[in-house]
Amino acid sequence: MATLPNPLPALATDPSGRSVGLQLPPGKLVDTTIDGTWHEPLLWYADEPAAPRAWADLLPARRAGLHPLLVHGGHRKEWPEEWDLSPESVTYPGDHDTEEILAESWERLSEDEEWPGLAAPQESSADPDKEAAEVASILTDEGSWMQGARVALVPARRSADIPAAIGWSGPVNHEDDVARLCAVLRSWEDRFGIRVVALTFDQLVVSVAAPPTTQEEAEAVAAEHFAFCPDNIHQGRHTTLPAYATHQVLNQPAWTFWWD
């Protein structure tokens, strides 16, 4: 796999990001991993909480190969340098097949039921980036569970690759190579217009520009969610796929995942 140039080291001598066409607030570079210091920064994130438009304002950073993200310390108050990042254990998302990954997980979790296959793609005229900006704005608004989130930048090929690019270990109890889950996120980008909007130590939030609009379609997607993140159903409020589909998938502009 060819490695993309990483623009983040330039921020060490140019914290404002002017050299890559940005105007950044004060922040810090993170190169701390579970195995020690990484050879280059994995992400940058701001020192102060993000304003509602902060995520959208950083969309131009993609021209420099950087994708915007919201990060939050969560209930543990652990920020990215404390996330046990493990880039060394991550493969390349493009080397994995989405259906194989989900089918393997489904068969392990649902021994009595046959894997139903991938859900059909949804059509929508919505702009995925605009939808993502709206979700990011809501997440940073007063009263949100992610109030106090900070804006971040991650060098990645596409939004779906953000967890793999930083070696995120949030799902490690379910999947120890997050690139396999990023392969699923790539497929959701293509089929449902998702964007990776936010991460905590063990939570992932994606915006959804083209969510399912019927119960049948939502249940097909719910099966993928179960294989992707079984704790959403096993430890969530809605413990059957039909109920989960109705309340967490159908017409929803964002999907949230949590791994125990």
Side-chain angles (χ1 to χ4, degrees):
M1 177 187 71
T3 303
L4 293 176
N6 184 349
L8 289 181
L11 300 184
T13 54
D14 174 30
S16 72
R18 204 162 297 158
S19 62
V20 290
L22 301 173
Q23 185 59 51
L24 299 177
K28 57 178 68 68
L29 295 167
V30 176
D31 59 6
T32 306
T33 79
I34 195 170
D35 298 311
T37 302
W38 195 240
H39 61 86
E40 60 183 3
L42 296 166
L43 73 152
W44 167 93
Y45 77 100
D47 291 337
E48 299 296 330
R53 280 201 50 83
W55 187 95
D57 288 343
L58 286 182
L59 278 173
R62 292 190 305 192
R63 291 195 293 266
L66 298 168
H67 287 263
L69 177 71
L70 294 175
V71 297
H72 194 278
H75 67 279
R76 305 178 184 213
K77 302 189 185 308
E78 293 174 332
W79 294 92
E81 57 267 40
E82 302 168 291
W83 282 3
D84 294 339
L85 302 178
S86 184
E88 194 166 7
S89 66
V90 174
T91 58
Y92 176 51
D95 289 339
H96 303 286
D97 180 83
T98 295
E99 183 147 26
E100 285 183 7
I101 292 163
L102 293 176
E104 287 172 9
S105 177
W106 176 273
E107 289 165 6
R108 187 171 67 249
L109 296 162
S110 303
E111 296 179 358
D112 298 330
E113 295 184 47
E114 186 177 345
W115 163 243
L118 295 180
Q122 296 290 307
E123 293 185 8
S124 173
S125 59
D127 182 332
D129 290 334
K130 288 183 179 179
E131 296 300 312
E134 179 63 23
V135 169
S137 177
I138 292 169
L139 289 175
T140 53
D141 206 0
E142 186 175 354
S144 164
W145 68 275
M146 280 200 75
Q147 183 180 355
R150 304 179 193 178
V151 73
L153 289 171
V154 176
R157 293 176 183 274
R158 50 196 287 184
S159 178
D161 291 357
I162 286 173
I166 65 173
W168 188 56
S169 60
V172 70
N173 290 336
H174 170 65
E175 173 57 67
D176 58 10
D177 180 2
V178 76
R180 286 166 51 86
L181 297 186
C182 288
V184 179
L185 294 175
R186 283 184 169 202
S187 179
W188 289 350
E189 267 192 354
D190 297 337
R191 287 183 287 145
F192 309 115
I194 69 106
R195 295 288 185 269
V196 172
V197 174
L199 289 175
T200 75
F201 176 83
D202 54 9
Q203 293 164 295
L204 162 69
V205 182
V206 304
S207 61
V208 191
T213 58
T214 71
Q215 181 68 17
E216 182 180 4
E217 293 166 342
E219 289 186 22
V221 173
E224 295 192 28
H225 282 205
F226 178 58
F228 181 81
C229 178
D231 289 329
N232 266 24
I233 287 85
H234 285 160
Q235 301 194 49
R237 292 176 57 195
H238 309 288
T239 56
T240 68
L241 287 185
Y244 177 85
T246 300
H247 295 282
Q248 303 295 329
V249 180
L250 183 64
N251 292 314
Q252 291 298 308
W255 298 335
T256 300
F257 303 94
W258 168 76
W259 291 266
D260 192 0

